[in-house]
């Protein structure tokens, strides 16, 4: 108020208004009347950063017995009384609060200042920095600052004052280091030319001033903002922030949560309903307050959004006022209760909450009870990431959970072992078999000692290790473990127990990978018949068994039988699981492969395209299953001689896998090998050879010299050399390949037989 009054006094002095020097004069009234007088030149009056205190403040005459604030001027009305409408002038008012604006002007007269566009942000940076930064780094910094003008000006001042020993790139690096460093940079109070000397130049301080006012005037709105500051900046669900005043729910099972909700609803009375209505009104009032001050906004899906820098400022205020931990714990409790296990039926809920779970990685609480909830949240989020095929995020979340679980429960507690299993699953997804094995072996040893050698959890751990051996092509070791598990399960659980049948199905898969089709078929038929009787003809496990048998028929060239089974599985899965369920899509993709093997390219292509479109929408464009289907479509194009289309898809899959899975992931190497095959079919021998050599060298180093994928790579390179007339090199390599395949895969494995046939032909 004092600054407003002083500004009017300056105007009065500037235009020399009569009576301004009278100690009893009402300066605001004098200036108001002068502005209203049409005899004067057109004028523009600017009131910057008006808030509620400016509208409500007033000062009375000294003789009324009320102490005056600021200059003694005899004012007896609020500021708004001295803002006039005049054809001779205009008033421009800025405010962070829309509510304030509506008290001064009509809705139609409000001009919303939208977030600064990128082009304007870059122009502002260029104006402030001159030639101190390169365009790319400036664009990155502008995005990191969310295109906020004050933050841009503040950072530019910081950089300029330290140049040439400090650059935009260094500022950006420091800004990204940690929240503490980011806060330090945003608290910088470098003065700005042509900016009000009393205005704060720090964006952190500016926000905290507004928050302090909200906290005094609307404590419940301040609570809402406190809780929101921990979530991801976008897609904050109303359901998780509505009951901010008290912690509700917990990390029990979802069924328990649902039962609790039903019981609470059943106990509601008419009085409670009125209370709920009042609570709803209070929540909406708080939301409106925060929106009016531009602390939050509402997305098109009715979720809330905050600027990340506002969230940082909020958390730093909470930390400084020793309120960070209680709000962090409420955030963890709400999110833990809402985030379900990562099974397919929960994907929709998991997808909406996953960004907030990732934000929780950096919000580890201190209290042991809250820490247990935080660990469960990390575990369920890792589970979801695994099922969605995101190996990197699954590994980050599962490792985070494991580290804390060990500290809470100890190395040998079942919760710790469960977390180790999730880390192992993430390693599997990433093709990191050796690291998975290193985790799985100690889990088996601990469970044997603590639970016993025949406990179901111990057997599950052994099955996981067998799967790891299979993925490494260590079929003999995998087979030994599976046989051991089957025998124990039969004795302990029974011959027809689902776990026993799963073990037999796994053993059939090991036979399948070794080309032992007859043995695989016998086991699969046994499993199917038992599952039909015990679980039912349409049980998911029964359908999985039928799908596996169809695959075995395909590898024996029994296309008609395979097709009949696959069509049967597809129809049941569509009806029971839904047309877009991952298992249904797997069945359709398998049928496409059966068509492919029969040379029915058009039918295979139609199914592949169908699966790709659904998987893109349901799983995501970069999910491993989506990429596998795209690779299959590329293979279909290749067999039709559509080289250009095949190459485009092959390159697309390879590039995505390099970025998402890594350049040395087995799936990435398969993509490179497929691209080499496309080049080979076009007679582009040199390009094919370069890729074949790259794949062989990498598979030897990453998977081992005797891994089946390594042997396939040797076979491919030998063929490329043979086609180019490099006969000696080709025969030498194929001879080595045949020798290794005989020892590793067996003399009767299809791959061994194919290599031996080629070698014999080349040598004659």
């Amino acid at each position: 108020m004092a600054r407003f009054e002083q500004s009017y006094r300056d105007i009065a002095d500037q235009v020399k208004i009569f009576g301004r020097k009278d100690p009893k004069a009402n300066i605001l009234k004098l200036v108001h009347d002068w502005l209203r007088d049409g005899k004067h030149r057109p004028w523009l009056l600017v009131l910057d950063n008006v808030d509620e205190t400016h509208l409500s403040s007033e000062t009375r005459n000294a003789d009324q017995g009320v102490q005056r604030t600021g200059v003694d001027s005899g004012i007896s009305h609020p500021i708004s009384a001295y803002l006039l409408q005049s054809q001779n002038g205009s008033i421009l008012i800025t405010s962070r609060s829309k509510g304030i604006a509506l008290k001064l002007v009509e809705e139609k007269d409000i001009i919303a200042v939208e977030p600064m566009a990128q082009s304007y942000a870059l122009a502002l940076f260029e104006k402030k920095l001159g030639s101190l930064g390169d365009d790319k780094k400036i664009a990155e910094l502008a995005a990191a600052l969310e295109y906020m003008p004050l933050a841009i000006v503040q950072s530019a001042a910081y950089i300029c004052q330290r140049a040439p020993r400090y650059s935009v790139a260094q500022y950006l690096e420091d800004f990204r280091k940690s929240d503490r460093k980011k806060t330090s940079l945003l608290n910088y109070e470098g003065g700005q030319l042509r900016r009000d000397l009393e205005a704060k130049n720090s964006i952190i301080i500016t926000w905290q001033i507004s928050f302090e006012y909200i906290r005094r005037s609307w404590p419940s709105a301040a609570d809402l903002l406190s809780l929101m500051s921990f979530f991801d900046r976008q897609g904050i669900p109303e359901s998780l922030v509505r009951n901010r005043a008290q912690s509700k729910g917990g990390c029990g099972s979802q069924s328990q949560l649902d039962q609790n909700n039903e019981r609470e609803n059943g106990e509601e009375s008419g009085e409670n309903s009125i209370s709920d209505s009042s609570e709803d009104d209070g929540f909406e009032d708080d939301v409106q307050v925060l929106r009016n001050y531009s602390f939050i906004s509402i997305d098109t899906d009715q979720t809330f959004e905050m600027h990340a820098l506002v969230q940082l400022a909020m958390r730093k205020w909470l930390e400084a006022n020793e309120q960070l931990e209680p709000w962090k714990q409420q955030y963890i409790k709400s999110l833990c209760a809402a985030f379900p296990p990562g099974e397919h039926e929960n994907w929709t809920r998991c997808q909406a909450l996953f960004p907030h779970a990732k934000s929780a990685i950096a919000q580890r609480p201190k209290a042991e009870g809250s820490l247990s909830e935080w660990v469960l949240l990390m575990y369920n989020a890792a589970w979801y990431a695994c099922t969605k095929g995101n190996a990197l995020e699954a590994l980050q979340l599962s490792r985070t959970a494991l580290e804390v679980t060990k500290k809470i429960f100890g190395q040998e507690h079942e919760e710790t072992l469960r977390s180790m299993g999730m880390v192992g699953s993430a390693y599997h997804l990433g093709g990191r078999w050796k690291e998975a094995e290193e985790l799985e072996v100690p889990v088996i040893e601990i469970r044997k000692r603590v639970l016993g050698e025949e406990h179901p959890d111990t057997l599950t751990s052994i099955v996981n290790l067998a799967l790891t051996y299979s993925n490494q092509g260590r079929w003999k070791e995998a087979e030994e473990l599976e046989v051991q598990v089957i025998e124990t399960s039969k004795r302990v659980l029974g011959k027809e127990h689902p776990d026993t049948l799963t073990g037999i199905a796994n053993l059939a898969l090991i036979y399948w990978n070794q080309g032992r089709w007859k043995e695989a078929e016998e086991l699969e038929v046994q499993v199917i018949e038992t599952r039909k009787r015990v679980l039912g003809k349409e049980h998911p496990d029964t359908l999985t068994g039928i799908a596996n048998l169809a695959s075995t028929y395909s590898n024996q060239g029994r296309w008609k039988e395979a097709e009949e089974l696959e069509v049967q599985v597809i129809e049941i899965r569509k009806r029971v699981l839904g047309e877009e369920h991952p298992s249904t899509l797997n069945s359709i993709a398998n049928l496409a492969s059966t068509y492919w093997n029969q040379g029915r390219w058009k039918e295979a292509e139609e199914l592949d395209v169908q699966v790709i479109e659904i998987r893109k929408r349901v799983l995501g464009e970069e999910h491993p299953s989506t990429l596998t289907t795209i690779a299959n479509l590329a293979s279909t194009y290749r067999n039709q001689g559509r080289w250009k289309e095949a190459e485009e898809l092959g390159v697309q899959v390879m590039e995505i896998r390099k970025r998402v899975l890594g350049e040395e992931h087995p799936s990435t190497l398969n993509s490179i090998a497929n691209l080499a095959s496309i080049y080979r079919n076009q007679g582009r021998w040199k390009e094919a050879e370069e890729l074949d050599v790259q794949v062989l060298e990498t598979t030897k180093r990453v998977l081992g010299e005797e891994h089946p994928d390594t042997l396939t790579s040797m076979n491919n390179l030998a063929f490329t050399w043979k086609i180019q007339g490099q006969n000696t090199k080709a025969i030498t390599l194929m001879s080595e390949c045949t020798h290794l395949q005989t020892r590793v895969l067996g003399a009767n494995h299809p791959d061994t037989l194919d290599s031996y046939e080629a070698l014999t032909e080349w040598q004659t």
Side-chain angles (χ1 to χ4, degrees):
M1 182 65 188
R3 292 184 60 208
F4 179 79
E5 184 178 339
Q6 183 58 51
S7 297
Y8 259 46
R9 186 172 296 280
D10 292 341
I11 293 173
D13 289 338
Q14 186 69 31
V15 298
K16 297 180 172 52
I17 297 176
F18 178 76
R20 67 187 184 280
K21 295 184 178 180
D22 185 345
K24 295 183 178 181
N26 185 334
I27 289 296
L28 301 189
K29 179 92 169 50
L30 286 177
V31 174
H32 170 274
D33 293 343
W34 185 90
L35 294 173
R36 188 174 56 184
D37 191 339
K39 295 184 299 183
H40 303 298
R41 291 179 296 172
W43 49 267
L44 171 65
L45 182 65
V46 179
L47 275 72
D48 187 30
N49 200 22
V50 174
D51 61 24
E52 188 72 43
T53 57
H54 294 131
L55 293 185
S56 59
S57 297
E58 61 179 52
T59 311
R60 302 182 183 277
N61 291 334
D63 57 7
Q64 290 179 291
V66 179
Q67 182 178 349
R68 294 191 297 271
T69 60
V71 179
D72 183 7
S73 56
I75 300 170
S76 57
H77 300 287
I79 286 176
S80 56
Y82 299 100
L83 303 178
L84 68 157
Q85 294 184 2
S86 170
Q87 294 182 346
N88 197 43
S90 301
I91 302 178
L92 176 63
I93 303 170
T94 70
S95 176
R96 288 191 290 269
S97 169
K98 185 178 180 181
I100 300 298
L102 287 171
K103 291 181 179 181
L104 298 172
V105 298
E106 299 291 337
E107 176 85 39
K108 63 181 178 62
D109 294 322
I110 294 177
I111 302 172
V113 180
E114 301 296 339
M116 180 175 272
Q118 181 187 37
S119 57
Y120 292 117
L122 297 180
L124 179 58
F125 251 133
E126 183 179 349
K127 180 179 179 181
K128 295 295 181 181
L129 288 173
S131 59
L132 288 179
D134 66 85
D135 293 342
K136 183 180 178 181
K137 290 299 181 183
I138 288 175
E140 287 184 44
L141 180 54
L145 296 172
E146 302 182 62
Y147 307 119
M148 292 187 175
L150 181 56
I152 289 172
V153 171
Q154 180 183 352
S155 63
Y158 187 95
I159 294 167
C160 287
Q161 290 190 13
R162 286 158 177 76
R165 294 174 56 81
Y166 198 77
S167 66
V168 173
Q170 287 173 287
Y171 188 99
L172 187 60
E173 182 182 351
D174 288 343
F175 190 83
R176 290 170 171 167
K177 276 182 180 176
S178 65
D179 279 356
R180 185 175 299 278
K181 184 61 178 178
K182 190 179 296 181
T183 304
S184 173
L185 293 171
L186 294 175
N187 265 325
Y188 176 66
E189 270 279 19
Q192 302 297 322
L193 293 174
R194 295 178 294 278
R195 181 165 165 80
D196 191 326
L197 293 177
E198 295 187 27
K200 297 296 183 182
N201 293 307
S202 162
I203 194 166
I204 292 281
I205 296 174
T206 300
W207 279 325
Q208 290 181 348
I209 289 172
S210 292
F211 174 72
E212 286 281 9
Y213 176 71
I214 290 175
R215 190 175 63 87
R216 291 192 302 270
S217 305
W218 295 280
S220 58
D223 287 347
L224 178 57
L225 192 66
S226 298
L227 182 56
M228 283 186 174
S229 68
F230 292 92
F231 287 83
D232 183 75
R233 62 176 296 270
Q234 294 178 309
I236 303 172
E238 176 184 331
S239 60
L240 297 191
V241 296
R242 177 174 281 276
N243 296 324
R244 60 207 172 279
Q246 56 183 343
S247 300
K248 292 188 177 182
C251 285
S253 68
Q254 191 56 39
S255 60
Q256 290 174 326
L257 294 173
D258 291 342
Q259 290 169 4
N260 290 338
N261 289 337
E262 288 172 7
R263 184 164 59 252
E264 289 171 6
N265 291 337
E267 293 175 355
E268 282 185 358
S269 65
E271 182 179 351
N272 285 337
S273 297
I274 294 173
S275 175
D276 288 345
S277 175
S278 174
E279 183 178 321
D280 287 345
D281 292 342
F283 178 78
E284 294 302 329
D285 289 343
D286 291 341
V287 168
Q288 194 58 46
V289 167
L290 299 180
R291 290 182 67 193
N292 283 344
Y293 277 86
S294 299
F295 274 115
I296 66 171
S297 59
I298 298 179
D299 290 336
T300 54
D301 60 356
Q302 297 304 303
T303 58
F304 300 112
E305 181 176 340
M306 286 181 72
H307 282 293
L309 300 185
V310 174
Q311 291 180 304
L312 176 63
M314 187 67 253
R315 292 195 302 271
K316 288 304 174 183
W317 186 94
L318 292 172
E319 184 178 20
N321 289 271
E322 298 182 349
Q323 295 183 32
L324 186 69
E325 276 300 309
W327 284 112
K328 182 188 293 184
Q329 290 173 24
Q330 171 135 357
Y331 157 68
I332 296 299
K333 177 177 282 293
S334 299
L335 192 53
C336 176
F339 203 108
E343 295 162 334
H344 174 261
E345 57 266 26
N346 298 325
W347 279 6
T348 300
R349 290 170 60 201
C350 290
Q351 182 179 8
L353 297 175
F354 190 62
H356 306 299
K358 288 194 294 182
S359 294
I361 294 174
Q363 303 300 336
R364 182 187 299 185
K366 295 178 180 178
E368 186 170 320
S370 184
L371 202 56
S372 298
E373 294 171 335
W374 181 81
V375 165
L376 179 56
L377 173 62
M378 295 295 104
Y379 182 90
N380 283 341
W383 187 346
Y384 170 69
C386 271
T387 59
K388 291 291 284 184
N390 193 325
L392 294 178
E393 290 181 333
L395 190 57
Q396 180 188 22
L397 288 160
S398 59
R399 275 177 166 174
T400 300
L402 177 58
E403 176 190 347
V404 178
T405 304
K406 283 181 179 179
K407 293 180 180 178
I408 296 176
F409 298 106
Q411 181 71 38
E412 298 190 351
H413 193 279
E414 186 55 35
E415 289 298 325
T416 303
L417 300 180
R418 194 168 71 110
S419 290
M420 291 173 72
M422 185 59 71
V423 177
S425 296
Y427 281 141
H428 270 277
L429 185 61
R432 298 165 65 173
W433 319 124
K434 194 65 182 173
E435 290 156 289
E437 179 184 348
E438 289 171 356
L439 265 182
E440 289 160 351
V441 169
V443 169
I444 292 172
E445 295 305 318
I446 293 171
R447 281 182 166 158
K448 280 182 177 180
R449 189 172 64 255
V450 175
L451 301 176
E453 294 193 0
E454 298 185 347
H455 190 280
D457 290 349
T458 305
L459 299 179
T460 298
S461 301
I462 297 172
V463 169
N464 291 338
L465 180 59
L467 176 61
T468 300
Y469 287 159
S470 292
N471 283 312
Q472 296 177 79
R474 296 160 63 181
W475 313 121
K476 195 66 180 173
E477 293 166 278
E479 180 179 344
E480 289 173 359
L481 290 181
E482 286 292 358
V483 168
Q484 172 191 336
V485 168
I486 291 169
E487 291 175 353
T488 306
S489 295
K490 283 181 178 179
R491 188 175 64 256
V492 175
L493 303 174
K495 291 183 178 181
E496 296 187 347
H497 189 280
D499 288 355
T500 305
L501 297 176
T502 298
I504 297 172
N506 290 339
L507 180 59
L509 183 60
I510 293 171
Y511 290 158
W512 186 93
N513 280 307
Q514 296 177 77
R516 296 160 64 180
W517 315 125
K518 197 64 182 173
E519 293 168 278
E521 179 183 344
E522 289 173 0
L523 292 182
E524 287 163 349
V525 169
Q526 174 190 337
V527 168
I528 291 169
E529 293 306 318
T530 308
R531 281 176 170 169
K532 280 182 178 180
R533 189 177 65 256
V534 175
L535 302 176
K537 292 183 178 181
E538 296 188 348
H539 189 279
D541 289 352
T542 305
L543 298 177
T544 298
I546 297 172
N548 290 341
L549 179 59
S551 181
T552 301
Y553 287 159
S554 289
N555 281 284
Q556 296 177 77
R558 297 160 64 181
W559 314 122
K560 195 64 180 174
E561 293 168 278
E563 181 179 342
E564 288 174 359
L565 290 182
E566 285 163 352
V567 169
Q568 173 190 339
V569 171
I570 289 170
E571 293 306 317
I572 297 175
R573 279 178 167 168
K574 280 183 176 179
R575 188 177 69 254
V576 175
L577 302 177
E579 295 194 359
E580 296 188 347
H581 190 280
S583 295
T584 306
L585 298 177
N586 287 341
S587 299
I588 299 173
N590 290 340
L591 180 58
S593 294
T594 299
Y595 289 156
W596 186 93
N597 283 314
Q598 297 176 76
R600 296 161 64 179
W601 315 122
K602 197 64 183 174
E603 293 166 281
E605 178 183 345
E606 289 173 358
L607 291 183
D608 280 336
V609 169
Q610 174 189 339
V611 172
I612 289 168
E613 293 306 315
I614 298 175
R615 279 179 167 166
K616 281 183 176 179
R617 187 174 69 252
V618 176
L619 302 177
E621 295 192 359
E622 298 186 347
H623 189 278
S625 296
T626 306
L627 298 176
T628 296
T629 314
I630 296 173
N632 290 342
L633 181 59
S635 181
T636 302
Y637 287 157
R638 186 186 72 226
N639 281 283
Q640 297 176 77
R642 296 160 64 178
W643 313 120
K644 191 67 178 174
E645 294 166 279
E647 182 178 346
E648 287 175 358
L649 290 183
V651 170
Q652 174 190 336
V653 171
M654 181 181 68
E655 293 302 326
I656 295 175
R657 281 176 168 168
K658 280 182 177 179
R659 187 178 72 252
V660 175
L661 302 176
E663 296 196 358
E664 297 186 344
H665 189 281
S667 296
T668 306
L669 298 175
N670 285 339
S671 297
I672 300 172
N674 290 339
L675 185 58
S677 180
I678 294 171
Y679 290 158
R680 197 159 43 241
N681 284 315
Q682 297 177 77
R684 297 161 63 179
W685 314 122
K686 199 64 182 173
E687 293 168 277
E689 180 182 351
E690 289 175 359
L691 293 182
D692 282 335
V693 169
Q694 175 189 340
V695 171
L696 178 56
E697 291 177 350
T698 308
T699 52
K700 279 184 176 180
R701 187 178 70 256
V702 175
L703 302 177
E705 295 193 358
E706 297 187 353
H707 190 280
D709 288 357
T710 305
L711 303 181
T712 299
S713 301
M714 294 173 69
N715 182 285
N716 290 340
L717 179 57
F719 269 100
T720 301
W721 281 342
K722 177 62 178 174
I723 292 170
Q724 295 179 80
Q726 302 181 49
N727 295 333
T728 302
K729 291 173 67 176
I731 291 173
T732 301
L733 184 60
M734 186 62 80
S735 178
E736 180 186 355
C737 177
T738 305
H739 175 72
L740 290 172
Q741 285 176 328
T742 301
R743 189 171 75 246
V744 175
L745 304 178
N748 294 319
H749 191 282
D751 290 352
T752 306
L753 296 175
D754 288 343
S755 296
Y756 184 78
E757 183 181 351
L759 179 61
T760 302
E761 182 182 336
W762 295 353
Q763 288 175 331
T764 57

